[in-house]
Amino acid sequence: MRKIISSSILLACASFTLPAAASGCGKVTIADMNWASATVVANVDRFILEHGFGCDAELVPGDTMPTGAAMIEKGQPDIAPEFWSNSMRDALDKGVAEGRIRYAGTTLTDGGEEGFWVPAYMVEKDPSLATIEGIKANAKLFKHPEDPDKSGFMGCPAGWNCQISTSQLFTALDLESVGFELLDPGSGAGLSGSIAKAYEREEAWLGYYWAPTAVLGKYKMVKVDFGTGIDKQEFLNCTTQIDCLTPKVTMYPPSAVDSVVTEEFAQRAPEIVKYLEGREYTNEQMNGLLAWIEEEQADGDYIVEHFLTDYESTWTTWVDAPTAAKIKKALAEL
């Protein structure tokens, strides 16, 4: 879905200036989606909108499908600050075409990132292990947990969407021919736990994972290069389709992660839309934040205080100087 990232890391986006809000933007509802990175973004947005722009900002529970449908059909909540848009792209695009919602900038500059990964300490010893050819040539390094005659590849838990793509790519890469067996970790906790166990023992590990996640913030991993680049049509038409019998090799395309707002809110608060259009996080930043949150068991204002303090050089590019001063004043009073 990478220990704590320093505040010297900057966003991969240009600095710009926004006009200070003169009279606030009224009541704003922000969807706090039920995963960790979305909670970070929602809490930071709430604080900045409240203290920098004078909004009456409120977090409301959210999830991808219910939130998207409610914004399109009922005009609420006003903002979904981290929307993985590909999960309901057709409905969102229809909502935009009908003038009900709009996209308001990219939340994660790198998009959602998926791939097959190996621990960095393996690549440091043998750089060829950053490639699928190097993996296949050294398959015996990746010991199967139950069968010494086989190699183990940790797949995606049964029932997850990524189980299909992982299985199809395992087939397309012909990993079985060099001794690999596709393993089911049983759960998300089982998958992350297998990485943690390998890292603690500095053992070989190969499998599927994604970013941004606390796991990739805590454990340095390298994404394996298949040597093919991205074939988006192949990925959509075959890699992700369980009934496709002839999968070809492609790297995972990044998943679009956007801010979505209702059109009514966009018309009412254009200065907030402009803020959202310039507010971006890199996956490296978010992975570090998630690792810190997990380690500290942090939530709410504690997350906001850490981000605004340690990432000042990032968020101050999102607003103008007077707005930044208001936010810093509120931060000092926490």
Side-chain angles (χ1 to χ4, degrees):
M1 189 179 186
R2 350 199 247 103
K3 265 284 216 143
I4 301 174
I5 281 179
S6 71
S7 59
S8 62
I9 295 177
L10 300 178
L11 274 178
C13 61
S15 298
F16 60 92
T17 302
L18 297 178
S23 57
C25 62
K27 184 173 179 59
V28 185
T29 49
I30 304 170
D32 183 0
M33 303 295 214
N34 59 353
W35 59 88
S37 59
T39 289
V40 172
V41 179
N43 276 275
V44 171
D45 281 350
R46 177 194 59 76
F47 193 92
I48 288 177
L49 265 58
E50 180 177 338
H51 298 286
F53 292 90
C55 305
D56 177 13
E58 175 191 2
L59 298 184
V60 297
D63 199 354
T64 303
M65 299 299 183
T67 296
M71 293 179 75
I72 294 167
E73 296 169 10
K74 301 177 182 179
Q76 282 291 325
D78 298 304
I79 304 172
E82 188 187 305
F83 208 111
W84 291 59
S85 307
N86 288 351
S87 58
M88 55 180 305
R89 175 65 68 184
D90 290 346
L92 292 175
D93 287 349
K94 184 179 179 183
V96 171
E98 293 175 350
R100 297 171 182 267
I101 59 171
R102 72 166 70 172
Y103 297 108
T106 301
T107 306
L108 298 177
T109 58
D110 309 304
E113 187 177 10
E114 298 176 275
F116 293 178
W117 306 77
V118 293
Y121 51 75
M122 295 188 71
V123 176
E124 289 165 5
K125 292 179 181 177
D126 182 354
S128 77
L129 295 174
T131 70
I132 197 63
E133 292 307 318
I135 294 289
K136 293 170 81 169
N138 294 276
K140 291 188 182 300
L141 290 174
F142 302 91
K143 299 186 184 302
H144 192 290
E146 297 174 357
D147 187 341
D149 295 328
K150 293 182 179 180
S151 303
F153 175 92
M154 195 61 69
C156 204
W160 290 25
N161 288 342
C162 54
Q163 184 189 30
I164 298 172
S165 61
T166 301
S167 177
Q168 293 284 51
L169 287 171
F170 182 89
T171 299
L173 291 164
D174 199 20
L175 292 178
E176 188 174 1
S177 70
V178 294
F180 278 101
E181 181 176 311
L182 181 58
L183 305 174
D184 183 349
S187 65
L191 180 58
S192 59
S194 70
I195 295 176
K197 181 180 177 182
Y199 238 85
E200 288 164 5
R201 301 178 181 183
E202 287 209 3
E203 294 177 342
W205 188 93
L206 173 66
Y208 168 88
Y209 218 74
W210 73 97
T213 53
V215 167
L216 294 189
K218 187 174 183 180
Y219 305 109
K220 188 177 180 183
M221 304 289 284
V222 175
K223 185 161 66 173
V224 177
D225 187 351
F226 297 164
T228 60
I230 297 168
D231 184 337
K232 191 171 182 179
Q233 288 308 308
E234 171 67 18
F235 185 82
L236 294 173
N237 297 333
C238 186
T239 310
T240 54
Q241 306 303 314
I242 196 169
D243 56 353
C244 180
L245 303 180
T246 57
K248 297 180 178 64
V249 182
T250 174
M251 296 291 283
Y252 282 87
S255 299
V257 184
D258 303 302
S259 296
V260 177
V261 300
T262 64
E263 186 60 31
E264 186 278 330
F265 178 76
Q267 296 290 336
R268 173 163 58 87
E271 74 280 8
I272 305 304
V273 173
K274 193 170 184 181
Y275 156 75
L276 294 171
E277 289 173 342
R279 183 268 286 122
E280 295 180 316
Y281 298 78
T282 66
N283 280 353
E284 187 175 22
Q285 284 180 315
M286 188 58 73
N287 286 338
L289 282 164
L290 296 178
W292 174 85
I293 289 167
E294 186 173 279
E295 188 172 296
E296 298 293 325
Q297 295 295 295
D299 58 13
D301 285 343
Y302 193 18
I303 293 173
V304 172
E305 183 176 7
H306 172 72
F307 177 78
L308 294 180
T309 300
D310 281 29
Y311 293 76
E312 182 177 315
S313 58
T314 290
W315 67 263
T316 51
T317 67
W318 302 344
V319 296
D320 67 4
T323 304
K326 295 176 187 176
I327 295 165
K328 289 178 183 179
K329 182 176 183 294
L331 177 63
E333 294 171 354
L334 283 178

